Amino acid sequence: MLIDTHIHLDAAEFDADRDALLAAARAAGVARFVVPGVDVASFERIATLAATQPDVRHAYGIHPLYVAAAGPDDLDVLTAWLARGEAIAVGEIGLDHFVAGIDRDVQERFYIAQLKLARRFGLPVILHVRRAVDAILKQLRRIEVPGGIAHSFNGSRQQADTLIAMGFRLGFGGAMTFDGSRRIRQLAATLPLAALVLETDAPDIAPAWAQGRRNEPANLARFAEVLAELRGIGRDELIAATGRNACAVFGARLANSRHSRAAR
Ligand SMILES: [Zn+2]
């Protein structure tokens, strides 16, 4: 199953043509879209998308680049949304030590609190990790969560191996389509296949063939081809394996058809 494990489908960039883009992605074979939250204002939009699109699943979380704007009650609001039982993960959460001007202590406070929520609700996490893998790992060792994905992974081989040993999968997408992304391409080619999942992160991280434009959900099909080629295996084998890996992270609610629920 071809699964986009990370796509901001609720982004305003898609407001004009979201349905057409979803249709194009489905025609290209994409079977599931996992949409993480970025702030409490996004939760309603995401819940509506998931309730109206049979192949959309969602997560709730406060993104590290949004913590500065988060209010004191936002963790309570997040807790209430998670308590509804619809989300398949807590995310997008994590640490960003690349973008300047975002207080690292505040990021860490939100990251730790959300790891504890993932543990409490028994949910995997969708991690945003930028120049902060060791700081991310430090808290994952303290606060045990039911696995998850380090999305758009861009760390070292050793850091990758540590995350994998702790039961995490690593997300690969647009960045591996650039010849110049040597380290990412090397990781994508050589890490154990069981550790890899596909993602677009659309509308962000446009691939080499769409540089300067928005990234779109249908690109996932080409990402699968790129990754298969990097690894020297067939496209179908790659899609089957990464689909299984995504299902292993998110559980039955990712793969299960939701017809019965939509009819409720
Ligand atoms: Zn994201």
Side-chain angles (χ1 to χ4, degrees):
M1 199 187 267
L2 186 54
I3 295 169
D4 192 341
T5 60
H6 197 108
I7 175 164
H8 297 282
L9 259 185
D10 62 309
E13 285 92 331
F14 297 137
D15 282 351
D17 55 358
R18 184 173 293 107
D19 288 345
L21 292 172
L22 274 170
R26 287 166 185 146
V30 184
R32 293 287 184 274
F33 307 87
V34 179
V35 182
V38 295
D39 60 7
V40 296
S42 70
F43 298 167
E44 186 80 55
R45 289 197 305 271
I46 290 167
T48 302
L49 264 174
T52 53
Q53 304 289 347
D55 42 11
V56 170
R57 304 291 182 271
H58 64 304
Y60 297 126
I62 300 168
H63 189 294
L65 297 182
Y66 290 75
V67 297
D73 302 332
D74 283 8
L75 286 168
D76 296 333
V77 174
L78 170 61
T79 305
W81 280 90
L82 290 170
R84 292 162 58 139
E86 303 155 354
I88 63 168
V90 174
E92 176 171 357
I93 68 171
L95 300 171
D96 195 314
H97 291 175
F98 175 73
V99 176
I102 305 194
D103 190 302
R104 291 189 182 181
D105 292 337
V106 178
Q107 288 192 45
E108 184 132 307
R109 193 158 51 76
F110 274 87
Y111 172 50
I112 290 170
Q114 294 181 97
L115 286 179
K116 288 178 178 168
L117 284 174
R119 184 175 64 185
R120 170 173 156 194
F121 287 99
L123 291 171
V125 292
I126 299 170
L127 297 170
H128 173 105
V129 191
R130 217 157 157 213
R131 301 267 171 92
V133 185
D134 292 334
I136 285 282
L137 284 167
K138 183 179 166 198
Q139 299 306 331
L140 289 177
R141 288 194 187 94
R142 274 191 341 118
I143 306 160
E144 216 172 303
V145 298
I149 292 171
H151 116 83
S152 189
F153 184 75
N154 187 14
S156 69
R157 172 70 197 228
Q158 194 191 354
Q159 289 169 331
D161 288 339
T162 305
L163 276 162
I164 293 165
M166 292 173 76
F168 287 81
R169 265 80 177 182
L170 310 180
F172 288 86
M176 71 179 166
T177 66
F178 291 89
D179 291 335
S181 301
R182 293 187 56 181
R183 185 165 78 173
I184 290 175
R185 287 166 72 88
Q186 176 83 13
L187 289 170
T190 58
L191 286 171
L193 184 55
L196 307 187
V197 294
L198 287 167
E199 62 170 65
T200 59
D201 200 23
D204 300 326
I205 318 187
W209 59 82
Q211 235 179 319
R213 306 206 301 272
R214 75 178 171 177
N215 191 4
E216 295 179 359
N219 283 324
L220 193 77
R222 275 183 77 178
F223 294 174
E225 283 162 19
V226 169
L227 186 53
E229 197 173 314
L230 282 170
R231 301 188 65 90
I233 63 173
R235 177 183 182 277
D236 291 347
E237 182 187 350
L238 187 280
I239 289 172
T242 53
R244 271 197 306 274
N245 300 342
C247 291
V249 172
F250 295 117
R253 282 190 298 164
L254 176 65
N256 286 353
S257 149
R258 272 210 325 232
H259 291 303
S260 51
R261 195 170 153 242
R264 192 172 61 190

